[in-house]
Amino acid sequence: MNKNLIALAVAAATFSGAASAATVYSDDTSSLAIGGRVEARALLSENAKNETAPVLSQQTSNDVTDISRVRVNIDAKTQIADGVQGVGFVEKEFGSDSDNVPEETRYLYAGVNSDQYGQIVYGKADGSLGMLTDFTDIMAYAGSVVGGTKLAVADRTSNNLAYVGTFNNLTFKANYVFDGAAYNNAGKKTDQTGFSTAAKYNVGDTGLALGVGYAQQKDQTAANNAVNQTSKQTFAVASYTIGDLYFGGLYKYGHRDANNLVNGDLTDSQGYEFAAAYTMGKTVFTTTYGFMKDERNTSGAYDELANAVAIDGTYYFNSNFRTYASYTFNMLDKNKVGKVAASDQLVLGARYDF
């Protein structure tokens, strides 16, 4: 039980419910499964009452916001050759309040999977760096403050040709996001195009895992209306599991991939993050610390981009139902970035996976 629970904790941020999906159709060559989650979430944090006011002078209050959501996915497979399947997957998300949790198509892709050579798909699919940011993105609610800044082409995105293959203890991912056909009113492209790649290696049965990845993205039209702006990111990760304990670490260096929190200038960034999880019976305790800074601050603006500690506890009644409490201590300077950007967060949640 404990090993299964800690595995759930490590995958919590990306687990969509597919593992407990119900097969609604199956024959000798094809199958169709439906899964997802229903998740009630109450968020307590400082929110701005007047969004038109300057950031540092916004009126704020401690409000409870309903950020509940539901996800529904369909996973289809059919045998097209010996050891080769055609696959299709779609997942939608809906919120109780569309202003707080907008409707979103999270995944929509189809492709071919080979038991020997891996899987290649096209559509809205994961980029390559999510496999690495999962090392520290383990919280029931709070996300990875450093890993969450990965470039769009390295994250879940559309117009994406993605490959993943696992060979013994090595998993390799690569994806390319094509130049799309979106334009602004001035007739300039607004798409992001580029690629990412990553590799993860489990060191035998030692409990140690290592990973490295790289992403490069060209923004067709930047905020200042400049074109062909290139951003780059490099990630390195490691984790160690021993019994009921899990430890993970992440390092990121980015070139022109972040914005200063005070003046909005595009900048390089550097960050690191540490995560830990402990399983005690049916309860999993997790914590993360993430820090990221502006590497090119020459104007005297505030150079911290993220500085936060998150802790939470999750109780698994069974594999389908859990409850959790999560608190984030935000250590940014509110006198420099404003109360909202520096606000702590408390979230209470209940989640049913099907």
Side-chain angles (χ1 to χ4, degrees), residues 52-345:
T52 63
V55 171
L56 298 181
S57 62
Q58 284 179 337
Q59 300 296 313
T60 62
S61 64
N62 287 317
D63 298 321
V64 176
T65 304
D66 186 351
I67 54 172
S68 301
R69 62 187 180 184
V70 59
R71 292 179 182 171
V72 179
N73 60 63
I74 299 174
D75 187 6
K77 296 180 181 179
T78 185
Q79 197 77 18
I80 57 177
D82 187 22
V84 180
Q85 306 86 38
V87 299
F89 187 82
V90 61
E91 181 173 86
K92 295 282 291 186
E93 178 171 283
F94 306 90
S96 57
D97 185 334
S98 60
D99 291 333
N100 298 318
V101 184
E103 178 183 338
E104 178 189 8
T105 300
R106 287 173 48 82
Y107 294 96
L108 199 167
Y109 62 78
V112 176
N113 177 76
S114 166
D115 296 340
Q116 183 176 1
Y117 299 109
Q119 177 174 281
I120 185 166
V121 300
Y122 172 78
K124 188 170 187 180
D126 284 327
S128 300
L129 295 186
M131 175 176 67
L132 304 183
T133 58
D134 284 348
F135 276 54
T136 55
D137 194 3
I138 66 173
M139 307 294 289
Y141 170 76
S144 166
V145 297
V146 179
T149 65
K150 55 185 172 290
L151 295 174
V153 298
D155 204 348
R156 185 179 66 250
T157 188
S158 57
N159 208 7
N160 186 14
L161 182 66
Y163 168 81
V164 58
T166 299
F167 309 95
N168 295 320
N169 291 331
L170 175 68
T171 299
F172 175 76
K173 298 188 76 171
N175 73 290
Y176 184 83
V177 177
F178 292 94
D179 187 359
Y183 297 84
N184 62 16
N185 293 333
K188 293 185 177 180
K189 280 183 173 289
T190 58
D191 294 291
Q192 295 164 320
T193 182
F195 70 92
S196 67
T197 184
K200 179 181 73 172
Y201 184 74
N202 297 319
V203 185
D205 296 323
T206 65
L208 178 66
L210 304 170
V212 64
Y214 175 80
Q216 182 170 312
Q217 172 177 298
K218 181 180 290 185
D219 295 317
Q220 301 291 356
T221 303
N224 61 2
N225 216 31
V227 294
N228 295 336
Q229 169 187 289
T230 299
S231 302
K232 303 174 184 178
Q233 287 181 335
T234 301
F235 280 81
V237 296
S239 70
Y240 182 66
T241 303
I242 179 170
D244 296 329
L245 286 169
Y246 170 86
F247 302 97
L250 176 150
Y251 172 79
K252 182 201 86 164
Y253 186 84
H255 170 68
R256 298 178 67 82
D257 72 322
N259 294 95
N260 187 282
L261 294 179
V262 173
N263 58 23
D265 286 352
L266 187 68
T267 182
D268 295 353
S269 69
Q270 184 176 192
Y272 54 84
E273 194 159 50
F274 303 100
Y278 174 65
T279 300
M280 186 176 66
K282 291 188 175 183
T283 305
V284 178
F285 300 98
T286 54
T287 183
T288 58
Y289 172 70
F291 178 85
M292 189 168 61
K293 64 178 181 177
D294 181 338
E295 281 290 290
R296 298 180 65 182
N297 178 16
T298 59
S299 62
Y302 189 57
D303 63 0
E304 286 190 1
L305 303 177
N307 189 358
V309 173
I311 57 173
D312 67 36
T314 303
Y315 183 80
Y316 291 83
F317 291 86
N318 53 39
S319 60
N320 295 98
F321 188 72
R322 73 191 75 169
T323 58
Y324 58 84
S326 180
Y327 195 91
T328 300
F329 299 90
N330 193 333
M331 293 180 285
L332 292 174
D333 189 340
K334 66 180 179 180
N335 294 319
K336 295 181 178 179
V337 303
K339 290 183 177 180
V340 176
S343 174
D344 291 353
Q345 291 186 337

